[in-house]
């Protein structure tokens, strides 16, 4: 490796080398411990005394993994740049919260975080698995040993011997990418990885139930874990959407990017499982389906991880994925193949015996809850499967030897719309249906109130939203594409979605109120459905009725967008590398205004490659958000300097420039000597003569800008004494600020719905803890 | 085999057929309507306006008309063909760093018109690339 100034670097501190070696040893130790756990539990049937060692080994492996992440954290906090992973992850002086977050900002760390959260759920869930514990631990340990194996090959503790085997401490690192330096990087990945970790519990429990005779009741034990998984993964998905909304500047929450889908697909399968468990618990049916659904979320996540880490998505995602080390990728593929074929094979082998001998539930008459759940699970699983297919299109094309294709946002909406509409209808109607069934007429009477109010709410919302005074006014000719080339007006489609969301929300609110008297804790399901309807209504309204206008303004030249007058005021920092710098704009509207403070700063200035970073400003309101995206300011009319010979005239970017000849004040080579370029310009404002200069200073050549007219200035970049030519560049006298202004109605519903959804999920999980569930069953029997 | 078992077996077959037909329909819907990746020659041939062309951005040709929100640059596709790309929209950040670009659009009068760019920057960092939409 070649680093400037390497001779002055000190030796890396001994403690850091020790911590790095300890981290490496702990990874290898965790693999050993988990393999020991597998071995001990495998032969535990013949030697029961080994069960204790199996438990100890599982704990030891988990402690080793947690120790590993602590070691890595210590190296980040201590800014130990002699480690490749640390050097590529942070720069000196980074805030401590980002130094910690940098642990999972790259591939190796995200695998470590996945392993740690999985281990946490593993040690918590294992004692609750009862007769399934043996196979649960074997499956779990195999998975964690595989991840440990990946981390052993793709280690975050790699050192570079820089000079003759000596380990030196570089003074700085490449840095955490500025786009990631946001509070969401601190809280979103740990949250969503807690969700991913929880999927391992569901998978291993289902696997263990398949392999353990008499484990038909596994769903009672796994139910609270599935609910926690649903709630935490859902919260993580929402956080990811909020992160995109607050930082990416395109005004949306969700774009169906492969990395988003990798989280979304397992979440849909967990939602399917949770509904399947309800049927099995109440009716004793769906045994085989639930065992399959227990494994699918985890398999889908591992499959998605493979897709995004395989390098196949290099060009089709807004995320950059580092390609995995080939051995590590082979371990991941091996584990995926083993888990997929093994699980599905065992499920197919065991399903025929599981189908026999179960209790036969009494037949229901008319529309009944089981039938609605059946339809609901088909729809939920359909959303998951369809999304998985959409994200697999590049793989499908590659397998067919075809050129790559990519599925865009609108196509996901077109296909998934066919599932979302029935899903919302089922979510609205199913809570009114009983297990025993009821006549259609009675069902109609039960849902009539919610249905009627939903029509009213949707109609009133559309009326209000279409009112010009609210500023929405969707163009009447905008249409949404459906299958077979059909289209419908966007406003009709948004109206349908709004009605369905209102219907679902009102129906579940009604059931919640009716159920509240019986069991306050037992209303979690209704609360969750209310949350889903609220989020979807927020997404439909804020995207469907979104309005956007792009304008360019300057310091003394305000611009008008969406009826608002936008004027530049100032910026908060003189130093444009200050990442807290805000550019302040006054935004004045007919019914009040606000101060927009989008972020703008530059990185790479020291390296001579300034790169702008911008953050949007969001003016939040109860009825709508004003989303203000500042694009990088433009300073140059001519993007590149142009070399001109004496007497040469050019037309470039709407102006005519003629270079007359070079001038000089002073002696060549002496300090203070100025070279000038006498130039004539014809601009929209008239004809002008001017002379930019270049002065010899102790720090090198210093350009003095010359004004062309009130809008433009010119700089002399270089002179060539041999040809008497000059290299000049024309700039704006004041920078141009391109701005996108979005009007986004009812985005508050997205935030509100996410909170309601998570609360509902956690409430249900708490209510469905086995001890509580047992007490509730006993109370029911007594009644 | 009694009639109940036979009915159950028939139901399973029908369910399997419906599931497989559904899967086939979803795969067909996605694959046939997905936006293709290709070269400038493919874009010229297809006449479509959502072709994804990946290639090298030739920085010296970069020309930004910020007042009108137009960005022009020359791009070399995977086959080495060079074409002017005209992007409509605000100039994206990280443009100066970008080495590889995916331009989404279509060819008209010998120019590739795009309203969406995917920029890939050389990775000092390893994080989100920028997607820019009009």
């Amino acid at each position: 490796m070649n680093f400037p100034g390497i001779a002055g670097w000190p030796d890396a501190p001994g403690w850091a080398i020790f911590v790095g070696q300890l981290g490496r040893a702990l990874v290898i130790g965790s693999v050993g411990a988990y393999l020991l756990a597998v071995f001990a539990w495998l032969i535990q049937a013949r030697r029961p005394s080994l069960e204790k060692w199996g438990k100890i080994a599982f704990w030891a492996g988990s402690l080793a993994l947690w120790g590993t992440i602590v070691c890595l954290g210590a190296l980040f906090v201590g800014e130990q740049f002699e480690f490749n992973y640390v050097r590529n992850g942070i720069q000196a002086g980074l805030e401590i919260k980002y130094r910690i977050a940098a642990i999972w900002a790259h591939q190796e760390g995200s695998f470590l975080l996945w392993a740690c959260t999985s281990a946490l759920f593993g040690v918590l869930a294992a004692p609750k698995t009862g007769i399934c514990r043996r196979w649960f631990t074997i499956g779990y340990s195999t998975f964690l040993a595989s991840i440990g194996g990946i981390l052993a090959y793709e280690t975050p503790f790699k050192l570079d011997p820089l000079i003759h085997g000596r380990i030196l401490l570089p003074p700085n690192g490449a840095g955490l990418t500025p786009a990631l330096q946001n509070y969401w990087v601190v809280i979103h990945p740990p949250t969503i990885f807690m969700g991913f970790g929880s999927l391992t519990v569901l998978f291993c429990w289902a696997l263990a139930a398949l392999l353990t005779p008499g484990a038909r009741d596994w769903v009672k034990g796994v139910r609270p874990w599935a609910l926690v998984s649903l709630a935490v993964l859902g919260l993580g998905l929402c956080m990811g959407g909020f992160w995109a909304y607050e930082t990416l500047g395109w005004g949306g929450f969700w774009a169906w990017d492969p990395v988003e889908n990798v989280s979304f697909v397992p979440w849909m399968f967990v939602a399917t499982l949770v509904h399947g468990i309800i049927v099995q618990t109440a009716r004793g049916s769906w045994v085989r389906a639930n065992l399959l659904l227990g494994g699918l979320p985890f398999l889908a996540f591992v499959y998605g991880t493979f897709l995004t880490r395989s390098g196949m998505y290099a060009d089709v995602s807004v995320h950059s994925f580092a390609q995995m080390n080939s051995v590590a990728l082979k371990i991941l593929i091996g584990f995926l193949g083993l888990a997929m074929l093994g699980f599905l094979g065992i499920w197919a082998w065991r399903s025929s015996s599981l189908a026999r001998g179960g209790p036969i539930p009494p037949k229901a008459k008319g529309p009944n809850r089981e039938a609605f759940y059946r339809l609901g699970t088909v729809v939920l699983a359909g959303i998951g499967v369809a999304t998985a297919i959409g994200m697999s299109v590049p793989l499908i094309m590659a397998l067919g030897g075809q050129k790559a294709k990519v599925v865009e946002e609108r196509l996901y909406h077109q296909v998934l719309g066919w599932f979302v509409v029935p899903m919302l209808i089922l979510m609205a109607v199913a809570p009114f249906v009983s297990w025993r069934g009821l006549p259609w007429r009675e069902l109609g009477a039960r849902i009539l109130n919610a249905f009627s109010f939903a029509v009213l709410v949707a109609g009133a919302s559309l009326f209000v939203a279409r009112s010009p005074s609210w500023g929405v006014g969707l163009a009447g000719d905008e249409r949404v594409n459906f299958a077979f080339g059909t289209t419908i007006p966007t406003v009709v489609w948004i109206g349908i979605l709004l009605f369905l969301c209102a219907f679902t929300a009102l129906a579940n609110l009604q059931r919640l109120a009716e159920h509240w008297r019986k069991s306050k804790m037992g209303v979690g399901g209704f609360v969750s459905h209310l949350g889903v309807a609220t989020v979807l209504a927020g997404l439909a309204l804020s995207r469907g009725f979104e309005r956007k206008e792009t304008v360019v303004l300057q310091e003394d030249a305000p611009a008008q967008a969406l009826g608002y007058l936008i004027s530049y005021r100032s910026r908060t920092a003189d130093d444009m590398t200050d990442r807290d710098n805000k550019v302040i704009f006054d935004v004045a509207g007919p019914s009040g205004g606000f101060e927009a403070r989008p972020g703008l700063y530059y990185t790479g200035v020291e390296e001579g490659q300034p790169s702008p970073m911008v953050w949007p400003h969001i003016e939040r309101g109860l009825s709508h958000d004003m989303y203000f995206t500042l694009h990088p300011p433009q300073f140059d009319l001519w993007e590149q300097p142009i070399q001109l010979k004496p007497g040469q005239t050019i037309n470039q970017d709407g102006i005519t420039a003629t270079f007359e000849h070079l001038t000089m004040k002073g002696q060549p080579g002496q300090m203070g000597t100025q070279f000038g370029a006498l130039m004539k310009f014809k601009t929209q404002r008239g004809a002008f003569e001017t002379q930019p200069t270049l002065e010899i200073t102790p720090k090198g050549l210093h350009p003095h800008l010359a004004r062309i007219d009130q809008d433009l200035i010119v700089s002399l970049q270089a002179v060539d004494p041999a040809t008497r030519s000059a290299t000049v560049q024309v700039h704006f006298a004041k920078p141009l600020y391109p701005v996108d202004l979005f009007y986004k109605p009812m985005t508050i519903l997205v935030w509100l719905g996410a909170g309601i959804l998570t609360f509902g999920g956690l409430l249900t999980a708490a209510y469905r803890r086995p001890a509580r569930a047992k007490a509730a069953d006993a109370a029911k029997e007594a009644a | 085999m009694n009639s109940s078992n036979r009915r159950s077996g028939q139901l399973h077959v029908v369910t399997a057929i419906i599931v497989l037909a559904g899967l086939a329909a979803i795969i067909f819907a996605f694959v046939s309507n997905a936006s293709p990746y290709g070269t400038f020659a493919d874009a010229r041939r297809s006449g479509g306006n959502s072709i994804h062309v990946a290639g090298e951005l030739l920085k010296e040709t970069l020309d930004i008309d910020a007042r009108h929100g137009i960005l022009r640059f020359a791009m070399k596709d995977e086959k080495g063909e060079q074409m002017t790309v005209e992007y409509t929209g605000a100039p994206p950040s990280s443009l100066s760093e970008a080495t590889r670009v995916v331009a989404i659009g279509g060819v008209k009068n010998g120019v590739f018109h795009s309203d969406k760019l995917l920029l890939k920057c050389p990775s000092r960092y390893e994080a989100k690339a920028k997607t820019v939409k009009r």
Side-chain angles (χ1 to χ4, degrees):
Chain A
M1 297 203 123
N2 185 21
F3 292 95
I6 194 168
W9 294 357
D11 283 324
W15 72 263
I17 305 296
F18 171 74
V19 167
Q21 286 170 341
L22 179 65
R24 256 192 147 146
L26 285 171
V27 169
I28 294 164
S30 75
V31 176
Y34 284 125
L35 291 178
L36 185 63
V38 172
F39 174 75
W41 278 102
L42 271 176
I43 56 171
Q44 170 265 353
R46 271 182 287 165
R47 288 192 180 188
S49 62
L50 281 176
E51 181 178 322
K52 187 177 79 177
W53 286 105
K55 289 176 184 173
I56 291 172
F58 189 67
W59 260 101
S62 303
L63 287 171
L65 280 177
W66 300 330
T68 308
I69 206 165
V70 170
C71 288
L72 190 57
L75 297 178
F76 270 105
V77 172
E79 297 182 339
Q80 293 306 304
F81 300 119
E82 68 273 28
F83 291 90
N84 272 350
Y85 189 74
V86 178
R87 191 167 62 246
N88 290 330
I90 57 167
Q91 70 271 31
L94 193 66
E95 285 176 67
I96 193 158
K97 64 182 178 189
Y98 295 129
R99 271 185 269 164
I100 292 169
I103 295 171
W104 47 77
H106 295 246
Q107 184 158 275
E108 294 87 332
S110 60
F111 270 93
L112 181 58
L113 184 62
W114 182 21
C116 286
T117 54
S118 294
L120 176 65
F121 273 98
V123 295
L124 290 174
K128 314 282 182 191
T129 51
I131 58 169
C132 292
R133 184 161 186 172
R134 177 169 176 243
W135 286 107
F136 175 87
T137 315
I138 291 169
Y140 222 105
S141 300
T142 306
F143 162 67
L144 289 173
S146 303
I147 295 286
I150 289 172
L151 287 168
Y153 273 100
E154 210 163 277
T155 177
F157 298 104
K158 192 178 165 200
L159 280 163
D160 275 333
L162 294 171
I163 294 179
H164 306 304
R166 279 175 62 204
I167 305 296
L168 303 178
L169 175 61
N172 210 341
L176 182 65
T177 178
L180 288 181
Q181 289 179 40
N182 177 282
Y183 66 99
W184 285 113
V185 77
V186 184
I187 55 175
H188 165 66
T191 307
I192 201 145
F193 272 90
M194 288 295 277
F196 297 151
S198 69
L199 301 179
T200 320
V201 170
L202 311 183
F203 172 80
C204 292
W205 211 324
L207 179 73
L210 280 167
L211 293 167
T212 310
R216 295 175 70 93
D217 284 343
W218 75 287
V219 287
K220 283 183 184 163
V222 85
R223 187 174 186 169
W225 300 93
L227 288 162
V228 165
S229 190
L230 187 66
V232 176
L233 203 49
L235 178 65
L237 283 167
C238 292
M239 284 180 171
F242 298 149
W243 187 358
Y245 183 66
E246 288 190 354
T247 62
L248 292 186
W250 58 276
F253 291 90
W254 194 262
W256 300 104
D257 187 80
V259 85
E260 294 168 345
N261 295 341
V262 168
S263 315
F264 179 76
V265 173
W267 188 60
M268 290 315 297
F269 287 144
V270 177
T272 316
L273 171 68
V274 164
H275 290 83
I277 287 174
I278 295 171
V279 176
Q280 186 173 341
T281 311
R283 307 277 290 169
S285 49
W286 295 23
V287 178
R288 285 181 296 173
N290 284 333
L291 286 163
L292 180 65
L293 288 170
L296 280 186
F298 175 82
L299 292 175
F301 178 65
V302 180
Y303 168 70
T305 305
F306 153 70
L307 279 186
T308 52
R309 307 287 168 175
S310 62
M312 213 176 291
Y313 286 78
D315 283 332
V316 299
S317 169
V318 295
H319 294 79
S320 296
F321 301 109
Q323 209 163 335
M324 282 179 81
N325 166 295
S326 66
V327 178
L329 185 63
K330 280 174 191 160
I331 295 176
L332 183 68
I333 294 170
F335 179 79
L336 174 63
L338 180 73
M340 215 169 247
L341 294 175
F343 182 85
L344 295 177
I346 292 167
W347 178 79
W349 166 58
R350 285 279 291 152
S351 54
S352 56
S353 59
L354 285 165
R356 291 190 294 269
I360 299 167
K363 285 208 168 172
K365 286 180 184 169
N368 61 82
R369 198 172 282 184
E370 186 174 347
F372 273 77
Y373 272 108
R374 190 184 299 278
L375 279 173
T377 51
V378 167
V379 168
L380 287 173
I383 294 174
V385 169
T387 310
I389 291 172
M391 69 184 266
S392 304
V393 164
L395 176 68
I396 294 169
M397 302 306 291
L399 290 175
Q402 306 271 314
K403 279 191 170 173
K405 279 187 172 182
V406 61
V407 177
E408 293 188 277
E409 189 184 353
R410 59 168 179 80
L411 186 53
Y412 276 107
H413 291 170
Q414 271 176 259
V415 174
L416 296 181
W418 293 91
F419 294 93
V420 171
V421 169
M423 181 189 81
L424 284 167
I425 294 170
L426 290 166
M427 276 167 59
V429 179
F432 291 98
V433 185
S434 69
W435 291 108
R436 278 172 294 180
L438 75 172
W440 282 104
R441 185 185 293 272
E442 193 183 330
L443 177 60
R446 282 188 173 196
I447 62 170
L448 187 63
N449 287 342
F451 185 90
S452 308
F453 270 111
V455 172
L456 192 70
V457 168
S461 303
L462 283 182
F463 181 75
V464 171
R466 294 274 284 168
S467 162
S469 62
W470 277 68
V472 177
L474 189 70
D477 56 349
E478 278 189 38
R479 299 181 79 83
V480 176
N481 293 318
F482 274 87
F484 314 115
T486 55
T487 63
I488 61 166
T490 303
V491 70
V492 173
W493 175 234
I494 300 296
I496 291 169
L497 287 178
L498 198 57
F499 158 72
L500 290 170
C501 290
F503 183 28
T504 305
L506 289 167
N508 281 280
L509 268 175
Q510 184 184 334
R511 292 294 291 138
L512 191 154
E514 290 166 4
H515 211 80
W516 184 258
R517 284 175 235 129
K518 293 183 207 162
S519 162
K520 290 184 174 49
M521 288 282 282
V523 296
F526 305 125
V527 175
S528 299
H529 288 176
L530 177 63
V532 172
T534 310
V535 169
L536 287 176
L539 290 174
L541 281 169
S542 70
R543 194 87 169 125
F545 287 137
E546 169 189 297
R547 283 203 304 149
K548 177 190 168 188
E549 198 168 339
T550 303
V551 290
V552 178
L553 59 133
Q554 279 178 291
E555 282 178 24
D556 299 324
Q560 202 136 23
L562 302 179
Y564 288 83
L565 185 68
I566 308 170
S567 320
Y568 172 90
R569 195 201 300 170
S570 61
R571 59 173 199 249
T572 58
D574 290 332
D575 177 7
M576 289 306 288
T577 62
D578 181 349
R579 70 181 310 277
D580 293 324
N581 177 51
K582 307 283 180 201
V583 186
I584 305 174
F585 296 90
D586 293 310
V587 185
S591 54
F594 62 93
E595 184 183 275
R597 298 168 68 89
L600 166 69
Y601 72 101
Y602 286 81
T603 62
V605 174
E606 285 175 11
E607 294 90 343
Q609 288 182 315
S611 176
M613 294 299 306
V614 285
W615 308 99
H617 170 91
I618 304 168
E619 188 70 14
R620 297 180 199 279
L622 278 178
S623 63
H624 64 272
D625 281 2
M626 293 304 299
Y627 193 94
F628 189 106
T629 302
L630 172 66
H631 293 281
Q634 299 301 308
F635 300 96
D636 307 320
L637 178 68
W638 292 358
E639 196 57 34
Q640 312 286 344
I642 296 175
Q643 189 177 38
L644 297 171
K645 290 177 185 158
Q648 186 181 351
T649 298
I650 59 161
N651 289 305
Q652 180 76 22
D653 293 313
I655 63 169
T656 306
T658 304
F659 169 51
E660 297 288 327
H661 56 79
L662 283 179
T663 62
M664 187 175 71
K665 276 185 194 168
Q667 295 298 315
Q670 280 186 354
M671 291 298 143
T673 298
Q674 287 193 356
F675 300 98
L678 189 63
M679 300 202 63
K680 286 181 177 167
F681 288 95
K682 279 184 191 160
T683 72
Q684 285 176 337
R685 294 188 183 274
F688 304 90
E689 188 175 287
T690 190
Q691 187 173 188
T693 57
L694 205 53
E695 183 182 346
I696 301 175
T697 69
K699 290 182 179 174
L701 291 169
H702 177 75
H704 294 281
L705 303 171
R707 186 168 282 277
I708 300 172
D709 60 17
Q710 63 191 84
D711 301 323
L712 301 170
I713 50 178
V714 59
S715 66
L716 178 61
Q717 304 272 323
V719 292
D720 183 353
T723 59
R724 310 287 295 165
S725 62
T727 304
V728 294
Q729 188 172 13
V730 177
H731 317 273
F732 298 111
K734 288 174 183 168
L736 302 185
Y737 293 96
V739 166
D740 286 337
L741 188 66
F742 295 78
Y743 176 94
K744 297 190 68 71
M746 301 312 292
T747 38
I748 194 168
L749 292 180
V750 183
W751 293 85
L752 189 66
I756 295 172
L757 176 63
T758 308
F759 174 69
L762 293 176
L763 188 67
T764 318
Y767 180 62
R768 293 296 174 188
R769 277 176 300 161
R772 181 178 283 279
K774 209 177 276 178
D777 290 346
K780 256 186 212 169
E781 273 175 28
Chain B
M1 191 186 277
N2 61 33
S3 65
S4 165
N5 280 347
R6 201 178 307 127
R7 208 174 301 129
S8 167
Q10 285 167 348
L11 192 67
H12 280 121
V13 172
V14 170
T15 308
I17 290 170
I18 290 171
V19 168
L20 288 175
L23 285 175
I26 294 169
I27 292 171
F28 177 76
F30 274 125
V31 171
S32 60
N33 293 299
S35 306
Y37 266 76
T39 58
F40 288 128
D42 296 328
R44 246 193 322 268
R45 255 196 312 274
S46 79
N49 58 7
S50 62
I51 311 282
H52 292 54
V53 179
E56 182 193 349
L57 185 153
L58 304 176
K59 279 192 194 155
E60 63 280 7
T61 63
L62 202 57
D63 179 22
I64 300 175
D65 180 354
R67 284 191 198 281
H68 301 101
I70 295 172
L71 177 69
R72 289 183 202 87
F73 56 89
M75 189 175 130
K76 201 183 269 183
D77 70 11
E78 284 165 1
K79 299 263 168 161
E81 183 183 347
Q82 194 171 312
M83 188 179 273
T84 300
V85 176
E86 188 172 295
Y87 164 76
T88 313
S93 53
S94 304
L95 192 64
S96 54
E97 286 181 12
T99 48
R100 193 168 161 75
V101 178
V102 181
I104 297 137
V107 176
K108 201 174 165 188
N109 300 327
V111 174
F112 190 87
H113 293 267
S114 168
D115 59 4
K116 193 173 168 191
L117 289 180
L118 188 64
L119 305 182
K120 296 281 178 181
C121 302
S123 253
R124 259 197 321 162
Y125 312 121
E126 177 192 296
K128 290 178 181 190
K130 308 275 178 201
T131 299
V132 202
K133 298 174 186 175
R134 184 166 60 176

